[in-house]
Amino acid sequence: MLGKRAILVVLLSVAVWIYFLPSPIDPQPYTFKGPPPLLEGPLAVNTRLQNGRRLFTGQLHGPESFTADQEGNVYTGTVDGKLWRIHQETLTLIAHMGQDLQECGAAGVQFAFLNGLEISSQTGIIYFTDSSSRWGRRHVKLEVIETNALGRLLTFDPASGRVGVLLDGLYMPNGIALSPDESFLLLAETSIGCVLRYWLKGPKAGTKEVILNNMPGYPDNIRLSDRGTFLVGLTTTRFRKLVPPFLDLIGPYPAVKRFLAKVVPLSWYNMLLPRYGLVLELDAEGEVVGSLHDPTGSLTWAVSDVFAHQGRLYLGSTDLPFLPVLEDWS
């Protein structure tokens, strides 16, 4: 058996080796604006998300986001690069994407993590986010841990073929949604848990403002609902407990982040994420006017998108091998 001195030498040798091992991330310190909000009022715990059902179990792998056509068909993309059409209870494979794509970019910076997208019905201009100039979707956990402002909000004008940069220096910009009159769009910054409003028209055109900060979780996509509010899916929750949330704890300490990125496999972080489904409903000013919860994850968790269509809510999640739907969310 090894003696105490030999064990100490081994431990010190491992520590030195880890210290000089290059870290895959280059984090910056970040401190959240305060402790997570209390689950009261519009945020009060409920079981509204548990009143749905699962479709296409075993046929879909991580349906993340949705859209629909004029005929009422719903389309979703899955994490394995496939595009599907949903017509009533029928699922049809449309395309398998993500293969042999040429590199492209804007303003001298290549795209690395294209994410949210909105198309103006008035001008045809496409608004989209590039969540990071360093990390792609497969390494999203490193992007969140790193907490660097490497994201951008961009536009594409089909008429001119030009790509423009509206905002840069964003913390993992994710989902975006145009207001009904297209005077502004809302944008989620996932890694710091906030929602921005970017003005497209009026006296504030070209400016941004934070309208919701210190959220009870990390937002993904934002969608305009069929009653004029905005629905935000939270990929994981950030609740008040005896111990602060994980990212709150490590946020101010880049050295801790570097160490964790060296020694902890990405798959292990899933064990830190609670299976809790949560959707927020916001008004145009960013006030939370309602929420839908699944405290036990019986229907869904890690909600990536909330798409209201013909009275039904389609709930996205990159973690699930099925499609959760809610027939009535009133």
Side-chain angles (χ1 to χ4, degrees):
M1 295 179 63
L2 290 175
K4 293 182 179 179
R5 180 172 297 180
I7 294 175
L8 181 61
V9 170
V10 171
L11 292 176
L12 288 175
S13 299
V14 171
V16 170
W17 176 76
I18 293 174
Y19 178 82
F20 287 104
L21 189 70
S23 177
I25 65 174
D26 181 22
Q28 298 297 319
Y30 184 84
T31 301
F32 284 83
K33 305 305 179 183
L38 296 173
L39 298 181
E40 58 187 19
L43 287 174
V45 176
N46 57 67
T47 57
R48 294 172 66 190
L49 279 185
Q50 295 182 351
N51 297 323
R53 59 195 180 104
R54 301 177 177 184
L55 298 180
F56 313 121
T57 300
Q59 300 179 64
L60 291 177
H61 179 54
E64 182 180 10
S65 190
F66 308 92
T67 191
D69 61 22
Q70 295 180 346
E71 284 72 42
N73 298 306
V74 173
Y75 297 83
T76 184
T78 48
V79 294
D80 52 5
K82 296 177 181 178
L83 177 64
W84 301 86
R85 180 175 63 225
I86 301 168
H87 179 70
Q88 297 178 355
E89 306 295 305
T90 302
L91 182 67
T92 304
L93 177 64
I94 301 300
H96 193 174
M97 302 172 292
Q99 299 174 344
D100 300 322
L101 296 180
Q102 296 181 354
E103 293 182 351
C104 54
V109 180
Q110 292 183 349
F111 301 144
F113 193 172
L114 296 182
N115 211 325
L117 180 147
E118 273 278 60
I119 303 176
S120 169
S121 61
Q122 299 176 4
T123 65
I125 290 177
I126 300 171
Y127 301 92
F128 62 103
T129 56
D130 186 17
S131 293
S132 173
S133 59
R134 178 178 296 158
W135 301 107
R137 192 199 66 79
R138 293 183 180 180
H139 297 93
V140 63
K141 294 181 178 66
L142 292 181
E143 171 65 27
V144 173
I145 293 172
E146 194 174 66
T147 325
N148 264 333
L150 300 174
R152 300 175 295 170
L153 171 65
L154 306 108
T155 63
F156 173 68
D157 186 349
S160 65
R162 294 180 179 177
V163 175
V165 180
L166 296 181
L167 293 174
D168 58 11
L170 299 175
Y171 290 91
M172 196 180 168
N174 201 329
I176 53 178
L178 283 164
S179 63
D181 63 357
E182 299 192 3
S183 62
F184 65 86
L185 57 81
L186 298 188
L187 181 149
E189 286 187 287
T190 298
S191 60
I192 61 173
C194 82
V195 174
L196 299 178
R197 176 165 55 190
Y198 180 81
W199 289 97
L200 300 170
K201 301 176 182 177
K204 295 183 179 180
T207 65
K208 69 174 182 178
E209 56 191 355
V210 176
I211 63 170
L212 181 59
N213 211 335
N214 206 36
M215 298 174 69
Y218 303 94
D220 199 321
N221 284 297
I222 300 179
R223 292 285 190 170
L224 185 67
S225 77
D226 50 11
R227 56 194 189 197
T229 56
F230 295 90
L231 298 172
V232 184
L234 300 186
T235 58
T236 188
T237 54
R238 176 177 168 260
F239 292 160
R240 292 195 188 197
K241 296 181 179 180
L242 294 177
V243 178
F246 176 66
L247 291 181
D248 290 49
L249 279 175
I250 69 172
Y253 309 108
V256 174
K257 296 181 183 182
R258 292 190 189 96
F259 175 79
L260 292 174
K262 292 179 186 181
V263 301
V264 180
L266 287 179
S267 60
W268 288 17
Y269 289 105
N270 289 333
M271 295 184 293
L272 300 173
L273 304 179
R275 288 194 170 187
Y276 194 112
L278 181 57
V279 172
L280 303 185
E281 184 180 8
L282 313 179
D283 64 16
E285 299 301 318
E287 293 290 329
V288 179
V289 297
S291 59
L292 297 86
H293 297 241
D294 184 350
T296 61
S298 63
L299 176 68
T300 187
W301 60 90
V303 181
S304 61
D305 194 19
V306 191
F307 183 60
H309 180 65
Q310 296 182 346
R312 172 188 277 184
L313 282 189
Y314 294 82
L315 302 167
S317 176
T318 59
D319 291 354
L320 304 181
F322 53 82
L323 172 61
V325 296
L326 200 62
E327 302 294 346
D328 180 16
W329 66 288
S330 60

